[in-house]
Amino acid sequence: MKTKKGTIGFVALAFAGGALFTGWASAEDAPPAQEAPFGSVAALEDAGTEDAGGGGDAEAAPAAPPKQTLTISADKSPRPKDADWDVLGVEMSFSPGSTPNGCRLQHIREWVRVRCTGAMVHISMLGGNHEGVSIKLDPVGADEFIPFPQGGEVVFPVRTGDRRVFEWIGVEFGYKGMTSASSFLILSESWLPWDEGPTIYAR
């Protein structure tokens, strides 16, 4: 009786050991799991899981462009005289991202002058507050082959809440001389109530 029970136990143990060995061998021989195709939903889900657990630092948001700093009088000051700009005018930079096409930006107190040189046809204000705005083209020179002003400027006060847009129309040169007019410069000025200074952008 003992021999029969011992035989049965040995057979059961051997069967269990064989099943365990077979499972281990199957796991070793199984082909590696294939990655989800690039761009598939599964791949996107995997990428999202990895990013979530990666702990990488998020990119910092770009810094806001600096605003212009003007010395603003407590009361509205009178417009500077034409001769004052050459003596008292302080050179400024246009706001970041501008391409001023050689134009200059100056200010005296809250007053700003933008002056451009080159063959001009017209300067116009496209919209905004007209208070205190002055637009001027240079006189036409004596050269009969250059029948257009060779420069022009706009002068205006810059105060909180202002919004203005100007356009310079220049002259394009062709093989027969000055043949057509085109936009030379677009100037925008704004000072929103929550900003510390104005944005003066030229392009």
Side-chain angles (χ1 to χ4, degrees):
M1 190 70 177
K2 290 181 179 180
T3 304
K4 186 176 181 181
K5 288 182 179 180
T7 302
I8 293 173
F10 177 80
V11 172
L13 182 61
F15 181 80
L20 181 62
F21 177 81
T22 303
W24 173 78
S26 298
E28 286 288 325
D29 297 338
Q34 295 184 350
E35 295 183 358
F38 178 78
S40 65
V41 174
L44 294 176
E45 290 177 349
D46 291 342
T49 303
E50 292 176 0
D51 292 343
D57 295 334
E59 292 186 4
K67 307 298 183 181
Q68 301 286 2
T69 301
L70 301 179
T71 303
I72 305 299
S73 58
D75 299 322
K76 294 181 180 180
S77 64
R79 178 201 309 277
K81 298 178 181 179
D82 290 346
D84 292 341
W85 290 104
D86 294 330
V87 179
L88 304 175
V90 178
E91 294 283 339
M92 301 173 59
S93 296
F94 291 92
S95 294
S98 296
T99 52
N101 204 12
C103 299
R104 296 173 59 199
L105 173 62
Q106 298 173 287
H107 88 92
I108 298 175
R109 300 181 303 278
E110 79 274 30
W111 291 88
V112 165
R113 179 175 79 162
V114 177
R115 177 162 183 80
C116 302
T117 57
M120 302 290 170
V121 177
H122 186 65
I123 303 174
S124 60
M125 183 173 177
L126 303 181
N129 183 4
H130 287 76
E131 182 182 359
V133 173
S134 171
I135 299 175
K136 183 174 65 175
L137 287 170
D138 293 350
V140 177
D143 191 338
E144 60 178 330
F145 296 103
I146 307 178
F148 297 100
Q150 291 302 293
E153 65 185 42
V154 296
V155 177
F156 52 89
V158 176
R159 300 187 178 101
T160 304
D162 283 349
R163 289 187 179 183
R164 297 183 178 94
V165 179
F166 301 90
E167 182 180 27
W168 275 253
I169 301 297
V171 180
E172 287 190 342
F173 289 80
Y175 72 98
K176 290 186 177 181
M178 301 176 182
T179 57
S180 61
S182 65
S183 179
F184 178 84
L185 186 80
I186 297 291
L187 174 74
S188 65
E189 174 263 323
S190 64
W191 191 341
L192 301 179
W194 50 84
D195 283 339
E196 295 181 359
T199 297
I200 304 176
Y201 186 79
R203 195 164 183 97

